[in-house]
Amino acid sequence: MMLFWHSERTGRIVFFKKLSSKIYAKIYGYFTNTNYDYTVANFGIYKHKVIASVLEVNDYIKYFPLFVKFVGFHTTVIQVEHNSREDGKSSYSITALISLAFNTIISFSNKPLKLFVKFGMLISLISFISGVFTIYKYFRGEIEVLGYSSLIVSIWFLSGVIITIIGVTGIYVGKILIKLKIGQFILSTKL
């Protein structure tokens, strides 16, 4: 299959699109541990077998560039000159693009869940250290309002534990979902 790399475009709106594409590519690459090239366009020349394989991927979030990579065929990139749109405007609003980016990252990566687990553990650790410090201050007689510090520390500690448990549960559910997606794709390609 051939994908097309677009050459440089200029203009104020183009600058914003290029910048947002670059930022999205960095964020997407970070969360999915892939190298996503934002300069490669979504249009290309595909064999019927590639399109049939892409159509076999039955997923709620439809993201064509990812599906093309997912089916695993050999690709080559050809440089083309990108002309400006002659008629009409893009049907994607900024909110639709942000929604697509968010859904794609959440659907194809469990790294955000891992970050939440780390965040929950960090909250629990900070509240534990704060609790030790509160006990130290209690024995030195420096606590004026009894019960306030222990209440706040226990709320923060339990909140961190809850966030960690939800994150771990989400990772398990995500792994099951990934296995179902891959298993469904392998089964449909063998049939």
Side-chain angles (χ1 to χ4, degrees):
M1 84 183 109
M2 276 190 266
L3 302 175
F4 295 105
W5 175 75
H6 52 80
S7 57
E8 294 299 316
R9 296 176 284 175
T10 58
R12 199 182 105 221
I13 294 175
V14 173
F15 172 76
F16 175 72
K17 283 193 165 213
K18 281 173 37 179
L19 180 65
S20 61
S21 294
K22 196 173 201 177
I23 291 170
Y24 171 73
K26 293 281 187 190
I27 292 171
Y28 184 77
Y30 172 76
F31 279 115
T32 59
N33 295 325
T34 60
N35 186 14
Y36 182 76
D37 187 1
Y38 72 96
T39 62
V40 175
N42 285 339
F43 57 92
I45 300 172
Y46 303 96
K47 289 186 176 182
H48 180 69
K49 188 175 184 180
V50 174
I51 298 299
S53 296
V54 167
L55 291 174
E56 290 293 324
V57 180
N58 189 15
D59 198 275
Y60 173 72
I61 303 297
K62 305 292 185 192
Y63 189 58
F64 186 72
L66 180 72
F67 289 172
V68 168
K69 286 184 177 184
F70 182 70
V71 294
F73 289 95
H74 177 71
T75 61
T76 188
V77 178
I78 298 172
Q79 183 176 356
V80 294
E81 184 177 329
H82 192 96
N83 293 328
S84 60
R85 184 185 297 261
E86 291 183 18
D87 190 27
K89 63 179 191 170
S90 175
S91 61
Y92 274 106
S93 65
I94 188 70
T95 54
L97 288 171
I98 290 172
S99 175
L100 176 66
F102 178 77
N103 287 332
T104 302
I105 289 170
I106 295 299
S107 180
F108 297 104
S109 174
N110 64 359
K111 201 168 192 177
L113 294 171
K114 290 179 181 179
L115 291 176
F116 275 109
V117 169
K118 290 177 184 176
F119 178 68
M121 291 175 137
L122 179 67
I123 288 175
S124 296
L125 178 66
I126 290 171
S127 64
F128 179 76
I129 292 169
S130 177
V132 170
F133 184 68
T134 302
I135 291 171
Y136 170 75
K137 285 178 71 173
Y138 172 76
F139 284 122
R140 291 197 53 179
E142 297 176 5
I143 294 182
E144 297 175 11
V145 179
L146 296 177
Y148 175 76
S149 299
S150 61
L151 180 66
I152 296 300
V153 166
S154 63
I155 288 172
W156 277 82
F157 180 77
L158 291 175
S159 297
V161 169
I162 290 168
I163 291 170
T164 303
I165 290 171
I166 290 172
V168 169
T169 305
I171 289 171
Y172 279 121
V173 171
K175 287 184 183 235
I176 292 169
L177 183 64
I178 288 170
K179 285 186 179 186
L180 286 174
K181 284 182 184 180
I182 292 172
Q184 182 182 22
F185 176 71
I186 290 172
L187 180 65
S188 66
T189 55
K190 285 186 177 180
L191 294 176

